[in-house]
Amino acid sequence: METSKKQELFQKYVSGQASDKEVDLLMHLIAEGGTDDLGDLVDGLWSENHLFPSIDEGVAGRMKAVVMKSVGVDATEKVSRLKKEPSYWLRVAAVLLPLTVIGALFYLTNRAPDQVPAVSQAESSANVEKVNPKGQKSTFILFDGSMVTLNADSKLTYKEGFAEKERRVTLIGEAFFDVAKDSLRPFIIQTEQITTRVLGTSFNVRAYPGAEEVTVSVATGQVSVQKSEQSSKTVEEVALLLLPGEMGVYKKQNQSLNKASFDVRDSFGWKHGLLYFKNAPFEQVLHRLEQWYGVTIVVKKKIALENDFSGAYRNKPLELVLEGLSFVYDFKYEIDGKEVTIR
C-alpha cells in the first residue's frame, strides 16, 4: 500500500499537481522506504507520449542528457545502478517539473538541429541574455546542465557555452541557482557589488539595483562570496564561506559584507509562488508588488509609515494582498489594468 501511494504521489509531484501536504507525505515515505520502487517510473517518463509530444528521438535524447548532466550523472550510466542512489530520483523529479520541461522543450525544439548545444559544447563568444519584465518568472537550463529560476524584473547574462576555465554569469535582480558540479570550472555569479563562486550547489542571489543590500542565501553545499573589484577597499579582502542556512549580506551604504541567518520563506519562497513579507516597510511592499504582479502603483494619499507589514500569500491575486494592506495603512484602492491607484 505504501509503495503504490508513494508512486502515486511521485507522479503527482513530477506533473506539478502535488499539494504541499502531499509533497511532505512523499518525502516521509521516501525517508522510510527509499526510492528503489521509483526508478522505473522516472525512466518511463522519457518514453511517454504525453510528456514529449511530437518530439523526435534525437531532441528527446539531448534533453535527457541535459537533465542527467544537471544532476551530476553521465547519461550513458545504467539506470539499474542509479536506482541505488536515494537523492538521484528526487533531483531528477525537480528537474522535470513542468516549467523546466516546457522551457527545455521550447529551447530544444525551436533551434535548428546543428544549433542544439551538446552537454560538452565548446566555448563560444556569443552573449546570451535572459530578461524577465515585472510580473514574469522563468526557469531554464544552462549549457552545463545548471538550472536557474529567474525572478521578475531580473536579467541574467552569460557567454554561450561558457569559457574553458570558468562558468561566469552576470545577474541584475534575483535568481535561484542549482549548479551542476564541475570541479574544473567554477561557477561564478557577478553582480555590481559582490562575486559568488561555487563548484556545485544551490543558493539564491538577490541583487536588485534599488535595494539597500545584496544577499546570497545557501540551500545546499558551500558558497564563497566576496566584494566585487569596484566595491572592494583592498584587493586581498577575505571571502566569506557560506554553508547551508547561512546568508551573506552586503550593505551598500557602508560597503560591508557579513554573515547572517535567513528566513527560508523570504529567500526561497518566491520560487514556489509565495509572496512573503516580514516587518517590511510600506515602500518596500509596494515595490515588491510592482515586481510580482507587473503593475505600476500610484499613491495619492499621505500614508502613516510607522507600521511595518507582515503577510504570506501563495499564488494569490493582487486584490487580496491590497485588501490586507488597506486595513494596516487605512487606504482605498482602484485597479485599472496594469495601474493601481491608492487613495
Side-chain angles (χ1 to χ4, degrees), residues 18-306:
S19 66
D20 290 347
K21 289 185 177 179
E22 287 173 326
V23 172
D24 289 341
L25 178 56
L26 173 62
M27 298 303 125
H28 174 72
L29 293 176
I30 287 174
E32 285 191 339
T35 57
D36 287 352
D37 51 336
L38 300 180
D40 292 336
L41 282 177
V42 176
D43 193 47
L45 288 174
W46 298 107
S47 58
E48 290 185 6
N49 293 331
H50 72 271
L51 185 62
F52 298 117
S54 65
I55 304 178
D56 64 40
E57 263 184 47
V59 172
R62 284 190 291 271
M63 181 179 174
K64 183 176 182 179
V66 170
V67 172
M68 294 296 188
K69 179 71 174 178
S70 72
V71 295
V73 176
D74 187 333
T76 61
E77 290 190 51
K78 292 185 177 180
V79 172
S80 60
R81 189 169 79 81
L82 294 174
K83 288 179 188 177
K84 298 176 182 178
E85 301 178 18
S87 64
Y88 169 75
W89 296 116
L90 290 182
R91 296 178 67 189
V92 170
V95 174
L96 287 174
L97 284 173
L99 282 177
T100 307
V101 172
I102 292 170
L105 291 178
F106 178 85
Y107 177 72
L108 291 170
T109 57
N110 283 275
R111 293 172 64 103
D114 60 346
Q115 292 179 308
V116 177
V119 172
S120 59
Q121 181 182 2
E123 177 183 359
S124 170
S125 59
N127 285 326
V128 180
E129 281 191 355
K130 300 287 187 179
V131 182
N132 283 347
K134 293 179 180 179
Q136 179 178 313
K137 304 179 185 70
S138 62
T139 300
F140 48 90
I141 299 175
L142 300 179
F143 302 96
D144 66 331
S146 296
M147 186 163 59
V148 179
T149 303
L150 189 65
N151 206 347
D153 196 20
S154 302
K155 180 171 74 171
L156 191 74
T157 307
Y158 51 93
K159 287 188 179 298
E160 186 174 0
F162 294 123
E164 182 180 352
K165 296 183 178 179
E166 66 179 26
R167 298 169 288 168
R168 181 180 292 268
V169 301
T170 300
L171 173 67
I172 299 175
E174 182 171 19
F176 184 91
F177 297 87
D178 193 346
V179 176
K181 291 184 179 180
D182 186 341
S183 59
L184 300 180
R185 292 193 301 171
F187 194 97
I188 300 170
I189 301 94
Q190 186 73 54
T191 71
E192 185 178 356
Q193 288 82 18
I194 64 172
T195 301
T196 303
R197 181 184 298 262
V198 301
L199 294 176
T201 182
S202 59
F203 55 97
N204 191 80
V205 179
R206 182 175 295 165
Y208 283 108
E212 297 178 355
E213 60 186 31
V214 179
T215 62
V216 179
S217 309
V218 182
T220 62
Q222 297 182 0
V223 173
S224 172
V225 181
Q226 64 185 121
K227 298 177 185 178
S228 300
E229 288 184 10
Q230 60 266 40
S231 301
S232 180
K233 296 177 182 177
T234 65
V235 179
E236 300 296 331
E237 282 192 289
V238 179
L240 282 183
L241 181 63
L242 303 176
L243 301 176
E246 295 180 336
M247 175 173 67
V249 182
Y250 175 84
K251 298 285 187 180
K252 295 181 182 179
Q253 186 173 9
N254 59 10
Q255 298 185 347
S256 64
L257 178 60
N258 296 293
K259 188 183 296 188
S261 58
F262 64 90
D263 190 319
V264 173
R265 293 168 295 180
D266 181 49
S267 293
F268 304 148
W270 66 270
K271 290 176 65 245
H272 309 289
L274 179 66
L275 179 60
Y276 179 74
F277 301 104
K278 183 177 181 180
N279 300 324
F282 182 67
E283 292 181 355
Q284 179 183 327
V285 173
L286 295 188
H287 185 63
R288 287 283 303 279
L289 294 184
E290 288 182 326
Q291 289 178 328
W292 193 272
Y293 294 100
V295 298
T296 299
I297 301 177
V298 179
V299 181
K300 294 189 175 182
K301 176 183 179 179
K302 187 175 182 180
I303 303 294
L305 300 179
E306 61 270 13

